[in-house]
Amino acid sequence: MSSTPAINQNPPDSPNARRYNRIRRWIGIIDFILGLVVLTVLLGTGWSGNLRDLAYQGAFQNYTLAVFLYVLMLLVLGKVLGLGLDYYGFRLERRFQLSNQRLRAWAADEAKGFLVSLVIATILAELLYFIIRQFPEHWWVLAWFGFLVVTILLAQLAPVLLFPIFYKFEPLQNEELKARLIRLGERAGTRVRGVYKWQLSEKSKKANAALTGLGNTRRIILADTLIDNYSAEEIEAVLAHELGHHVHKHILKGIAVQAGVTFVGFWAVNWVLQYASDRWHIFEQLSDFANLPLVVLTFVVLSFILMPAMNAFSRYNEREADRYAFENIATVDPFISSMNKLAQQNMAERTPSRWVEWWFHSHPAIARRVAAAEAWAKANS
Ligand SMILES: [Zn+2]
């Protein structure tokens, strides 16, 4: 489709939905600025060097252990400073009746999330500084390759290793839905290895679905909040959309784009670190892990600059998956009604402002997706 379909303004977004989404955006923006400030202060004041010295002391001068302690201190600092905002985000979901999660369960999730990020950050940092020490000349190309391998591994392991830490999953038992999915898959000449019921209702009232994993962990996950409240035709439309992601290889394409971005990222980090040692005379050695905030800062700034482009890429994929759904379900009506239900249930803005959609949204606005479905039906009737 070349031209953008006109958006139907009916029904307009409620003031409540507008407020909820505005607050959530601000939480994201403040969180981002807070991160920038913390990293900059650590570098500008030289406190990063103090933390490094402390880490060496605690590690009895062992480099590898010191890297771990440094990462630990950095993450604890970030968590403590960001805790107020995280708590506010938790209260927000409850205030707008989008969650009934208790404080205790939320705190347990936060603790688990912290441990998971500690494990991943430790692996990445140890790998990075190991490569820097072993191959000081071409470290950035090798580090990029190492990160790519870790990204692919994580994408593959996430559905079986990471997601189950936070949610329960079980194979979908509904025979009718399974039969519909098999028919959809046969028509596409493809096969998805599994559909799993995702117990989201314990934590949220929102509904969601996704295609996850790589290779033998590739699966569609459907929230129980969706299975319990949507008709078989509506769920089929959602499944067809997810199958569209599978058929168009969106996960693989996403990883390829990510690989390109991190390649530029590591090149930029190398440049910035060289500059820091030549001009500012800090971090004379690349292997001085007190430069980690500078590494992170470079990636944060790069991803901020690329955010609109990455979101545009994602929205393109979403439109492609939607189109796949239109072509493979009997009529677009259940697709449209599932979209409207999702908007209602998740308090999504159906018609966000153009720049908000352009900058922040990984999915096209719901009103736009509905309009595209209507236009498709009109053109193909
Ligand atoms: Zn999608």
Side-chain angles (χ1 to χ4, degrees), residues 208-211 238 241-242 244-245 250 314 317-319 321-322 339 362-364 369:
N208 212 336
L211 175 73
V238 172
H241 169 93
E242 300 306 336
H245 283 307
H250 286 157
S314 171
N317 289 344
E318 294 301 331
R319 284 197 299 273
D322 277 354
M339 282 294 126
S362 59
H363 288 60
R369 297 174 75 178

Side-chain angles (χ1 to χ4, degrees), residues 255-312:
I255 290 175
V257 168
Q258 200 63 43
V261 170
T262 43
F263 188 80
V264 175
F266 276 109
W267 174 85
V269 166
N270 187 39
W271 189 87
V272 168
L273 289 181
Q274 300 288 356
Y275 191 90
S277 76
D278 294 352
R279 294 293 179 88
W280 302 333
H281 303 292
I282 48 170
F283 315 126
E284 298 291 348
Q285 293 198 327
L286 279 177
S287 59
D288 178 359
F289 54 83
N291 63 17
L292 186 57
L294 194 55
V295 175
V296 177
L297 197 61
T298 309
F299 272 105
V300 169
V301 169
L302 185 72
S303 42
F304 179 73
I305 295 169
L306 290 177
M307 204 160 113
M310 297 299 269
N311 276 332

Side-chain angles (χ1 to χ4, degrees), residues 34-65:
L34 190 69
L36 281 188
V37 169
V38 171
L39 292 169
T40 311
V41 167
L42 280 174
L43 291 166
T45 56
W47 290 346
S48 182
N50 297 105
L51 283 184
R52 173 205 52 213
D53 296 342
L54 208 62
Y56 263 120
Q57 263 176 31
F60 308 106
Q61 309 302 317
N62 177 295
Y63 184 87
T64 307
L65 189 55

